[in-house]
Amino acid sequence: MLTATPMSSLTDARIVVTGGSRGIGLGIAEVLVAAGGRVLIAGRDVDALRVAADHLAPFGRHSIRTCRADVSDASSCTELAKAAAAELGGVDVLCCNAGIFPSAPLINMTEADLDRVLRVNFYGTVFCVQAFQQILAASGRGRIVITSSITGPITGYPGWAHYGASKAAQLGFMRTAAIELAASGTTINAVLPGNVATEGLTDLGADYLATMAASVPLGRLGTPADIGHAVAFLASEEAGYITGQTLVVDGGQTLPESLDALGREQNA
Ligand code: NAP
């Protein structure tokens, strides 16, 4: 029996999005706010959070909450969880999205480069899940959605060996966390975006963006909202029997077996 109108289950859901001040996180927040969620966005730059909250407000009917947090710091994640639970009256959905992708070719990758990327992307995910675990359990329908990547779990790209490792590590963590969290009714899943046109990606330059768009069968880079819609599904009540799984959102970017395969569909 259908117990909820599709996706209506996000109405009034209490939601936290880390890295929600820009890029994919802002796109996730937009979709979840528009679905009727009560959303708190977190990041390190307080001014950017305020600008993002002003941007988000017209999409929904609840005021947008913000909280300064650095996910690479476990105590900051604990404070974020406490503040979010107090502001929203509990938390139903945690989107572990905050991440960084500085380039460092192997030949000159330093220990500090490796520490920094793993600390934000991997430890940051673990710290947030731990900090919110009991708060999500109290919800009885907790949902965690991790923003991983195709880079690492499926593909590779020169300069991002440490980044790819951090994104694959999120998935290894997720699969055991899913079993541990299941007893409390919390699910944990991951979206794997391809190349999404965000501020962070724009920093990599016009040539990079053009080359990447040309490698996508659907002919364009992803938008933050493309990722937001996938996250909304995994955060919904309707996805309650899915846990420990990954959803690739890449316009088909990981499908072609060769560069040649991309040009062949016209002649097939
Ligand atoms: P972005 O535009 O650079 O935005 C990153 C967001 O994360 C910002 O809100 C930033 O805010 C926040 N952040 C960074 N470090 C943080 C920290 N230590 N603590 C808390 N917040 C932090 O990046 P994006 O492209 O949207 O990427 C978002 C996520 O998607 C990342 O996990 C990334 O790996 C993943 N992803 C991106 C792409 C893509 O093509 N763009 C593809 C696959 C996966 P502050 O700087 O103010 O903290």
Side-chain angles (χ1 to χ4, degrees):
M1 192 175 70
L2 197 61
T3 54
T5 310
M7 308 307 268
S8 66
S9 60
L10 289 170
T11 304
D12 299 330
R14 300 159 298 180
I15 298 165
V16 174
V17 183
T18 70
S21 61
R22 63 180 204 163
I24 290 177
L26 185 59
I28 292 170
E30 266 177 30
V31 172
L32 298 178
V33 167
R38 300 168 56 198
V39 173
L40 180 148
I41 52 173
R44 292 164 305 171
D45 181 338
V46 180
D47 293 334
L49 287 169
R50 202 172 302 121
V51 171
D54 288 344
H55 166 83
L56 289 169
F59 287 87
R61 53 193 185 137
H62 298 292
S63 56
I64 309 299
R65 266 70 167 208
T66 63
C67 183
R68 193 196 172 280
D70 181 344
V71 299
S72 68
D73 173 357
S75 62
S76 181
C77 295
T78 305
E79 289 310 311
L80 169 63
K82 277 191 207 154
E87 285 273 331
L88 301 171
V91 178
D92 305 301
V93 178
L94 168 66
C95 300
C96 293
N97 167 79
I100 55 172
F101 35 93
S103 175
L106 272 183
I107 193 81
N108 51 21
M109 183 190 295
T110 64
E111 193 175 339
D113 292 332
L114 196 52
D115 277 347
R116 184 167 160 245
V117 166
L118 285 170
R119 189 104 201 146
V120 177
N121 296 358
F122 174 51
Y123 283 38
T125 299
V126 178
F127 291 155
C128 282
V129 170
Q130 288 182 307
F132 281 83
Q133 182 171 354
Q134 285 174 306
I135 295 165
L136 288 164
S139 143
R141 54 134 298 180
R143 300 274 184 274
I144 301 170
V145 186
I146 296 170
T147 308
S148 176
S149 177
I150 59 169
T151 310
I154 302 176
T155 62
Y157 198 97
W160 280 290
H162 55 347
Y163 172 76
S166 75
K167 293 283 139 180
Q170 289 178 309
L171 302 187
F173 163 74
M174 174 188 76
R175 294 188 179 105
T176 290
I179 302 170
E180 293 194 25
L181 295 168
S184 62
T186 298
T187 67
I188 179 167
N189 294 286
V191 289
L192 277 57
N195 279 259
V196 179
T198 64
E199 293 88 336
L201 206 73
T202 306
D203 291 346
L204 302 176
D207 283 354
Y208 177 88
L209 296 181
T211 308
M212 278 302 168
S215 72
V216 178
L218 283 176
R220 64 169 176 87
L221 296 179
T223 65
D226 288 328
I227 311 307
H229 290 298
V231 170
F233 169 63
L234 292 171
S236 71
E237 210 168 303
E238 291 85 343
Y241 202 54
I242 301 172
T243 196
Q245 302 305 311
T246 57
L247 179 54
V248 175
V249 188
D250 72 346
Q253 187 174 350
T254 49
L255 297 176
E257 289 183 17
S258 68
L259 285 176
D260 196 36
L262 261 180
R264 293 224 164 184
E265 81 281 11
Q266 317 283 1
N267 309 320

